[in-house]
Amino acid sequence: MSGHGLVLGKFYPFHSGHSHLIRQAQRLSDRVTVQVLGASVESIPLDVRADWIRESHPGVRVAAAMDDAPVDFDSESAWDEHMAVIEALLDGPVDTVFSCDAYGGELARRLDARWVQVDEGRRINPISGTAIRADVAGNWHELAPAVRAWLTARVVVLGAESTGSTTLAEALADRLGTLWVPEYGREHSVTREGGLDAPWQSPEFDLIVDRQIALERQARREVPVPVLVCDTDVLATALWHERYVGASARRLFDAADAHRPLLYVLTGDEIPFVQDGMRDGEHIRHDMQQRFRDVLAAQPVPWIEVRGGVSERVDAAASALEPLLAAHLRFAVPLEARPVDEQRALQRDAEASSLG
């Protein structure tokens, strides 16, 4: 057994190979420190990566810092820069360095520690951050629930009453091979005290927002692909607050702005109104639809309005989503994948930026 084991990496993103490495270190050490070393040019925040590891491996100490020094294992000066960051994050001497890659041997030597190479050549876990960044969907099974939740994009289907939003949400999710989140507000309408006949109170909409977001968060951890379809969201709830309370609630619009999806899909109001026993807005349906259009046009998230039959609407939504999802799953090129001269230039830029 080792006293203090050290694992370090970029975790860009965190995957099953990393988990295997950390578990091995835990098996062979009394305690383990995992260092998350990110670079300013990377597109996953450092604190997000650290939180992924804390959730998946609560028994380890996680420390994180930016390390913009070039990744050049033949450079003594580069090693010195890296070691300054690594040693500053330690809370005591290291007995063993655990790594998959060969740099672990030199790191262990510099820390006066032993090196244990885990899964040399990645024969047990043939996965890497490079492979995941190149094909997130194809390697989705290699990611922990917290990582999936962060990477999953939301598509929100919304519209006035009886415009087919629920039908489209379910059909679009089926086309994409993913889950969809139903509208919590509809459930609340039935279970609330007084049912549909009682006057609506403003705080009820905060409850609806909280429950809707909670359902989304759970679903994002469970989706089989990196996209989730939602039948309504916070923005739509803000508009229903206007409809049923008779006043705008700035707090709800602010909450919507802080919880933006990748795409809004507005269902067209050209189809006949169908009374399902809960709807009461046929007389204002077209006015509500125009309010949805106006609000969507004034906010920054891309949106489309779909019309026609279900298959036509699904085709239009899927086509609009495809380029947005591809861009969403595109990572910034990591520091070590760039030429050393470019790495040095980026390091100077990061230092200048930190100085203001």
Side-chain angles (χ1 to χ4, degrees), residues 3-324:
H4 184 193
L6 174 65
V7 174
L8 61 81
K10 287 183 173 293
F11 307 102
Y12 186 57
F14 177 64
H15 56 69
S16 60
H18 296 135
S19 278
H20 175 71
L21 175 61
I22 294 169
R23 284 194 299 270
Q24 284 294 93
Q26 289 182 287
R27 290 188 185 105
L28 299 175
S29 307
D30 295 326
R31 69 186 185 97
V32 173
T33 292
V34 178
Q35 292 190 359
V36 184
L37 304 179
S40 301
V41 295
E42 294 159 357
S43 51
I44 302 177
L46 198 62
D47 59 339
V48 169
R49 295 182 240 178
D51 285 344
W52 289 341
I53 297 169
R54 291 187 182 102
E55 177 179 315
S56 297
H57 300 278
V60 306
R61 172 180 175 266
V62 181
M66 284 295 181
D67 182 6
D68 286 310
V71 182
D72 182 359
F73 296 125
D74 296 325
S75 168
E76 186 69 21
S77 63
W79 265 109
D80 289 344
E81 291 176 87
H82 291 303
M83 292 307 299
V85 177
I86 292 166
E87 290 175 334
L89 290 176
L90 292 174
D91 65 346
V94 172
D95 298 293
T96 308
V97 171
F98 295 87
S99 74
C100 174
D101 298 315
Y103 74 81
E106 178 61 18
L107 175 60
R109 186 188 71 77
R110 289 172 179 266
L111 290 171
D112 194 24
R114 183 169 65 103
W115 176 41
V116 172
Q117 188 170 24
V118 178
D119 193 14
E120 181 181 1
R122 294 186 173 87
R123 291 188 294 269
I124 297 174
N125 287 282
I127 190 60
S128 67
T130 301
I132 289 173
R133 291 191 299 271
D135 183 8
V136 175
N139 291 290
W140 197 241
H141 59 285
E142 302 285 359
L143 303 176
V147 185
R148 294 184 188 183
W150 193 85
L151 289 173
T152 295
R154 290 184 306 118
V155 180
V156 173
V157 181
L158 73 181
E161 278 188 318
S162 191
T163 57
S165 59
T166 299
T167 299
L168 177 58
E170 188 172 8
L172 181 59
D174 185 63
R175 168 74 68 87
L176 299 173
T178 192
L179 306 178
W180 69 284
V181 178
E183 179 184 3
Y184 175 75
R186 188 174 179 86
E187 177 183 338
H188 180 76
S189 297
V190 175
T191 60
R192 64 191 291 265
E193 187 175 352
L196 296 173
D197 297 327
W200 284 82
Q201 303 299 316
S202 186
E204 290 184 83
F205 291 84
D206 297 283
L207 172 65
I208 290 170
V209 164
D210 289 345
R211 297 282 175 84
Q212 191 74 40
I213 290 177
L215 291 171
E216 292 174 4
R217 285 176 175 162
Q218 183 59 38
R220 288 169 78 169
R221 300 172 68 88
E222 300 170 354
V223 286
V225 294
V227 62
L228 174 69
V229 179
C230 302
D231 179 16
T232 199
D233 82 331
V234 184
L235 186 62
T237 303
L239 296 184
W240 293 120
H241 182 283
E242 292 180 352
R243 162 75 171 85
Y244 288 106
V245 178
S248 181
R250 184 69 257 168
R251 69 185 187 280
L252 297 180
F253 285 103
D254 289 342
D257 190 53
H259 191 62
R260 297 174 182 172
L262 187 66
L263 174 68
Y264 279 117
V265 180
L266 178 65
T267 45
D269 61 346
E270 83 286 1
I271 61 177
F273 187 93
V274 176
Q275 178 54 259
D276 65 354
M278 294 183 64
R279 293 168 177 157
D280 63 356
E282 181 175 8
H283 61 294
I284 60 167
R285 182 169 70 138
H286 297 306
D287 290 337
M288 278 296 297
Q289 186 76 0
Q290 188 57 50
R291 179 62 177 146
F292 272 100
R293 293 186 188 108
D294 292 343
V295 168
L296 288 170
Q299 55 81 54
V301 176
W303 69 281
I304 59 168
E305 183 169 357
V306 294
R307 294 177 172 272
V310 175
S311 61
E312 294 173 284
R313 292 179 173 205
V314 169
D315 288 344
S319 295
L321 172 64
E322 185 176 1
L324 295 174

